[in-house]
Amino acid sequence: MSKPLAPPATIAFIGLGMMGKPMAARLLGAGYTLRVYDQSQQAMSDFVGANPGAIATASAKACAQGADALIAMLPDGKIVRRALLEGADAAAEGLSTEAILIDMSSSAPVGTVELSKELAVRGLSMIDAPVSGGVRRAIDGSLAIIAGGSAEHVERCKPLLQSMGKTVFHTGAIGAGHAVKALNNYLSATSLLSMCEAMIVGEKFGVDPGMLVDVFNSSSGMSNSTQAKGRQFIVPRNYAAGFTMALMAKDLRTAADLAEQLDVEVPTMTEMAKIWARAAEKVGLSADHTAIHKFLEGK
Ligand code: NAD
């Protein structure tokens, strides 16, 4: 087995958005050599300005050069595929066959299996390792990391993953991390939407929405949504959790598509994917996902 990816191994990191920025900063803090790339110049200069020591690069290919591992933290699997394989500046053009791709984006599992096969033809290996926990847990390095791939590859990446997350689950073969992540976000989206509906009904009856959340948090209705989103983002209506409507709607679509591909009938999941797609259209793709509350209120 190749040796574990411990510091000061060189990591190429593509995608310095809400999650990528704090995750890449953790790697630098842990002592890895960090090469970064984002298609947004602003994201690049913000990151390099705040994290001296990070090496800015001009393309995905340049970022990948000399790296022991390449992490993608991009919006979805189609974009990951494009960044890896399409065009002369694609990352795979610069990646050594000793290196490993770690797709930490929430990508669609079937696409991930296909991508791993295309990479294998070029002698390249990959794991999927999406995350859960949001921006707050990306900053403090306590993300849940949900990996799929061969045991050998996941083991090799563990020191790297552990510098960004508290728990690393190995959920199965390639794509299994992405499948579990989509299913997790289905539960998360469903509990958030249910809490918002309950708050709207309760408020109309005259109950203070903050009081409602406090009761849920001490009762059987408790969930991550009631604990981490109710008082923080819904009651004050600031809708600022740091995860967009577009990304949540994409995750719901991913879960519903997976069920369809597996020929499983899941009426609630199917309906959730439709409601979140409508909400994203209505409140805007870049709105925060907690604005599902605004959508349900009809405002
Ligand atoms: P984001 O939109 O904030 O960041 C994405 C970044 O990728 C942007 O900086 C963008 O410029 C860059 N980018 C897009 N296409 C590119 C390309 N072809 N080449 C280089 N850079 C490119 O997204 P995010 O919130 O950081 O989420 C990233 C992934 O993590 C998504 O798959 C999302 O579903 C998942 N995720 C997000 C959260 C969250 O709370 N935000 C939590 C868990 C998982």
Side-chain angles (χ1 to χ4, degrees), residues 14-20 37-40 43 73-76 79 83 104-106 131-132 134-135 181 242-243 247 250-251:
I14 302 183
L16 300 168
M18 297 291 287
M19 293 296 283
Y37 175 67
D38 193 292
Q39 68 179 13
S40 151
M73 195 52 179
L74 294 166
D76 62 41
I79 294 174
M104 302 193 77
S105 330
S106 304
V131 305
S132 185
V135 175
K181 168 64 187 172
F243 180 53
L247 292 176
K250 175 249 329 182
D251 289 340

Side-chain angles (χ1 to χ4, degrees), residues 162-216:
Q162 281 165 338
S163 61
M164 293 176 280
K166 196 164 145 201
T167 324
V168 179
F169 295 95
H170 182 196
T171 53
I174 191 80
H178 283 150
V180 174
K181 168 64 187 172
L183 296 172
N184 174 76
N185 276 27
Y186 159 61
L187 295 193
S188 170
T190 305
S191 73
L192 176 62
L193 186 143
S194 304
M195 174 184 72
C196 291
E197 285 184 342
M199 286 171 75
I200 293 165
V201 174
E203 201 174 354
K204 191 129 202 213
F205 192 71
V207 182
D208 174 68
M211 169 61 73
L212 267 166
V213 172
D214 293 344
V215 172
F216 297 153

Side-chain angles (χ1 to χ4, degrees), residues 110-158:
V110 173
T112 300
V113 173
E114 283 161 11
L115 175 62
S116 76
K117 287 182 185 157
E118 286 179 73
L119 291 174
V121 170
R122 293 165 167 252
L124 298 168
S125 48
M126 82 172 278
I127 65 167
D128 48 314
V131 305
S132 185
V135 175
R136 186 179 54 80
R137 285 171 59 189
I139 292 170
D140 69 20
S142 67
L143 290 167
I145 299 184
I146 312 160
S150 79
E152 183 188 340
H153 287 152
V154 172
E155 209 46 48
R156 182 173 173 224
C157 296
K158 256 208 184 136

